[in-house]
Amino acid sequence: MKTIQIKGVSKVYGHTKALDKVDITIESNRIYGLLGRNGAGKTTLLNLMTNRIFPTEGEILIDGETVFENDRVLSNIFYMTEQNLYPEDERVRNIYKWIKEFYPSFDMEYAKDLSERFGLDTKKRVKNLSTGYASIFKAIAALASNADIVLFDEPVLGLDANHRDMFYKELISNYSERSKTIIISTHLIEEVAPVIEEAIIIKEGKLILKQSVEELLSGAYIVSGEASKVDKYIQGRKCIGIDTIGSFKSATVLEAVNNKDETLAEELELEFGKAELQKLFISLTN
Amino acid sequence: MLIDFNSEKPIYLQLAEAIEDNILKGIFEEEFQIVSTTEISVKYKINPATAGKGVNVLVDEGILYKKRGLGMFVSTGAKKKILEKRRNSFYKDYVQSLLEEAAKLNISKEDIIKMIVGGSEIEDNSDKGSK
């Protein structure tokens, strides 16, 4: 139970098309990054995958079975929402027990251990948690869920640098120990880039790209140097994200790294650099 | 082992090179086990598939080998293999870029040789003009 098929899914709210005929196949046992600007439809897609809302058209299947009102399938997906959906007045440790009711494979010992390591006081009530600890609490619940598919919506919102570091490390070790399908929706692209295997980029409700991060990055590079010489180099090449500072220019060239013209660059005294996922993202979603 | 996430070189290749460096330095000895891909991916916060790819490059070259159920080990003769490989690419990896940088700075080949032999800095010859 791990492969997710999103087939021709649209979601319309009144006059707004939040998702427009999206087709994505999410392979099992991989870590995906779901990237998109605010309002691109990321959360809508996650909500649809977990049957919280229903598609206007199309269907979502997990290992061939519809998620629509299918409790057996849904009990294998854990969704860490960005908003808190747990009872505000309840204590964290009681919510762990409550989650265990819905997700029998929830690992209570691991949740307690993680809470201790992150310094989360499980006696606290949900409403008294800071933004960072509210994220930590929800992330711990997701990590300990032991579900085959785990969806994270902005998992590190409000976390300090130390806790973000701990979270990514724990995520990777958790994933290595027990293979699962993970989708992380986030705006922190550079931070998540080395962690994810594939990027899914959506824009205005449409899927614009689903590709391995390594492939994506090997299909572009940065060239920089004196402006007119850079212009000479990029002539006839597809470019994005051109930055000029005085007479210095840098451009991201959309061409395989292996095809770059080293001889010409040397002649023009240009330098090459690695393309950034964030830059590619910005140009793709602009 | 250090990984530069801004480097042009893909992470998996950097990882393979870092492991090779450790073998050359004797930190990872032949016929001894190296750290697991899980440990590597957790430490550097990289996807386990990336770590696996880096390790597999070395397995394909016969520098590491897999012991079923145990993990990755350094092959006998790994050090020699790495030395040979690195020697073969030394000109391309180091000398070429040295010459390019020297040309930019208007440093002659003779000066470079003097520096290599004498190990000292060259005299300021910027008056020769570089434009």
Side-chain angles (χ1 to χ4, degrees):
Chain A
M1 283 257 315
K2 286 163 197 175
T3 307
I4 310 167
Q5 274 174 291
I6 297 156
K7 293 167 98 174
V9 165
S10 298
K11 178 70 186 174
V12 180
Y13 293 108
H15 295 291
T16 325
K17 222 168 193 183
L19 284 178
D20 189 6
K21 295 194 177 64
V22 172
D23 282 291
I24 311 174
T25 300
I26 290 166
E27 304 290 338
S28 60
N29 303 334
R30 281 192 199 165
I31 305 178
Y32 287 88
L34 177 59
L35 314 174
R37 300 188 60 180
N38 289 322
K42 303 187 296 293
T43 302
T44 302
L45 191 59
L46 296 176
N47 281 333
L48 285 165
M49 282 186 209
T50 47
N51 192 47
R52 273 156 216 254
I53 54 174
F54 313 112
T56 311
E57 60 173 331
E59 57 175 352
I60 297 179
L61 306 173
I62 291 183
D63 282 357
E65 279 189 62
T66 177
V67 296
F68 182 69
E69 315 222 314
N70 189 336
D71 286 343
R72 200 169 50 77
V73 168
L74 290 168
S75 70
N76 252 314
I77 314 178
F78 195 97
Y79 177 19
M80 174 193 169
T81 54
E82 190 183 341
Q83 291 166 301
N84 171 53
L85 301 174
Y86 297 110
E88 291 269 302
D89 287 320
E90 202 53 82
R91 293 179 202 278
V92 169
R93 59 179 177 194
N94 290 337
I95 296 182
Y96 286 163
K97 285 181 201 154
W98 183 72
I99 293 171
K100 176 92 183 154
E101 297 289 315
F102 291 89
Y103 295 88
S105 50
F106 180 82
D107 187 340
M108 189 62 86
E109 284 310 304
Y110 179 50
K112 281 181 185 161
D113 171 55
L114 280 178
S115 305
E116 213 173 294
R117 277 157 56 204
F118 277 93
L120 168 66
D121 181 0
T122 60
K123 291 193 290 292
K124 272 200 173 166
R125 293 178 204 279
V126 173
K127 65 177 175 197
N128 295 329
L129 296 174
S130 65
T131 313
Y133 273 108
S135 293
I136 288 170
F137 151 59
K138 288 181 293 170
I140 290 174
L143 288 168
S145 72
N146 267 327
D148 284 336
I149 298 169
V150 185
L151 315 177
F152 291 94
D153 197 359
E154 290 294 354
V156 297
L157 196 74
L159 264 65
D160 63 31
N162 307 46
H163 281 152
R164 288 209 302 278
D165 186 73
M166 278 174 73
F167 169 73
Y168 291 122
K169 286 181 170 169
E170 199 54 45
L171 178 83
I172 293 166
S173 93
N174 179 290
Y175 167 80
S176 303
E177 239 161 67
R178 193 174 182 277
S179 65
K180 56 191 68 158
T181 307
I182 293 175
I183 301 175
I184 306 169
S185 167
T186 183
H187 290 301
L188 299 173
I189 297 171
E190 281 311 304
E191 197 169 289
V192 87
V195 177
I196 61 178
E197 194 171 339
E198 279 198 36
I200 298 167
I201 301 182
I202 55 174
K203 180 189 177 183
E204 289 161 8
K206 287 195 166 90
L207 173 74
I208 55 169
L209 179 146
K210 175 177 174 284
Q211 203 176 6
S212 102
V213 175
E214 205 186 286
E215 266 174 43
L216 204 54
L217 292 179
S218 67
Y221 59 87
I222 292 173
V223 64
S224 64
E226 203 269 315
S228 65
K229 291 175 172 170
V230 170
D231 286 338
K232 214 175 222 173
Y233 184 91
I234 62 180
Q235 203 176 23
R237 289 185 153 87
K238 205 176 169 204
C239 278
I240 55 161
I242 298 172
D243 289 321
T244 314
I245 311 166
S247 56
F248 175 85
K249 198 173 213 172
S250 81
T252 300
V253 183
L254 294 180
E255 178 181 45
V257 175
N258 296 333
N259 291 342
K260 62 188 176 199
D261 190 339
E262 307 238 14
T263 327
L264 179 60
E266 203 177 309
E267 205 176 286
L268 297 170
E269 297 173 299
L270 303 176
E271 294 201 17
F272 290 122
K274 183 191 169 195
E276 287 165 13
L277 187 58
Q278 180 144 304
K279 274 235 168 90
L280 294 174
F281 171 83
I282 290 171
S283 82
L284 285 165
T285 55
N286 234 338
Chain B
M1 305 211 292
L2 285 173
I3 288 181
D4 176 5
F5 289 98
N6 297 318
S7 163
E8 262 188 275
K9 199 168 271 178
I11 295 169
Y12 76 96
L13 281 181
Q14 288 189 52
L15 188 64
E17 278 178 17
I19 295 171
E20 285 182 348
D21 283 340
N22 282 334
I23 296 172
L24 284 180
K25 286 183 200 152
I27 296 168
F28 296 158
E29 287 182 76
E30 293 183 0
E31 294 309 321
F32 276 81
Q33 190 171 6
I34 66 154
V35 288
S36 70
T37 48
T38 303
E39 282 174 273
I40 294 172
S41 42
V42 169
K43 180 171 181 347
Y44 295 104
K45 291 177 278 175
I46 57 175
N47 191 285
T50 312
K53 200 170 169 186
V55 166
N56 281 335
V57 168
L58 301 179
V59 171
D60 290 344
E61 291 180 11
I63 288 163
L64 299 179
Y65 69 95
K66 207 177 273 178
K67 265 192 197 172
R68 258 188 99 91
L70 286 174
M72 284 295 167
F73 287 74
V74 180
S75 312
T76 301
K79 205 167 168 173
K80 195 167 159 262
K81 258 187 200 148
I82 300 165
L83 279 175
E84 268 170 30
K85 185 171 76 167
R86 295 261 182 118
R87 276 184 184 142
N88 288 337
S89 62
F90 185 77
Y91 183 83
K92 192 175 161 282
D93 290 349
Y94 292 91
V95 181
Q96 210 163 305
S97 53
L98 173 88
L99 293 175
E100 278 167 23
E101 177 71 7
K104 246 188 263 169
L105 304 177
N106 209 20
I107 297 172
S108 70
K109 282 187 184 167
E110 290 72 35
D111 283 336
I112 298 171
I113 293 165
K114 258 187 236 164
M115 275 189 259
I116 292 168
V117 176
S120 61
E121 290 173 35
I122 47 153
E123 295 155 39
D124 185 10
N125 61 355
S126 54
D127 55 335
K128 283 178 188 167
S130 58
K131 286 185 180 171

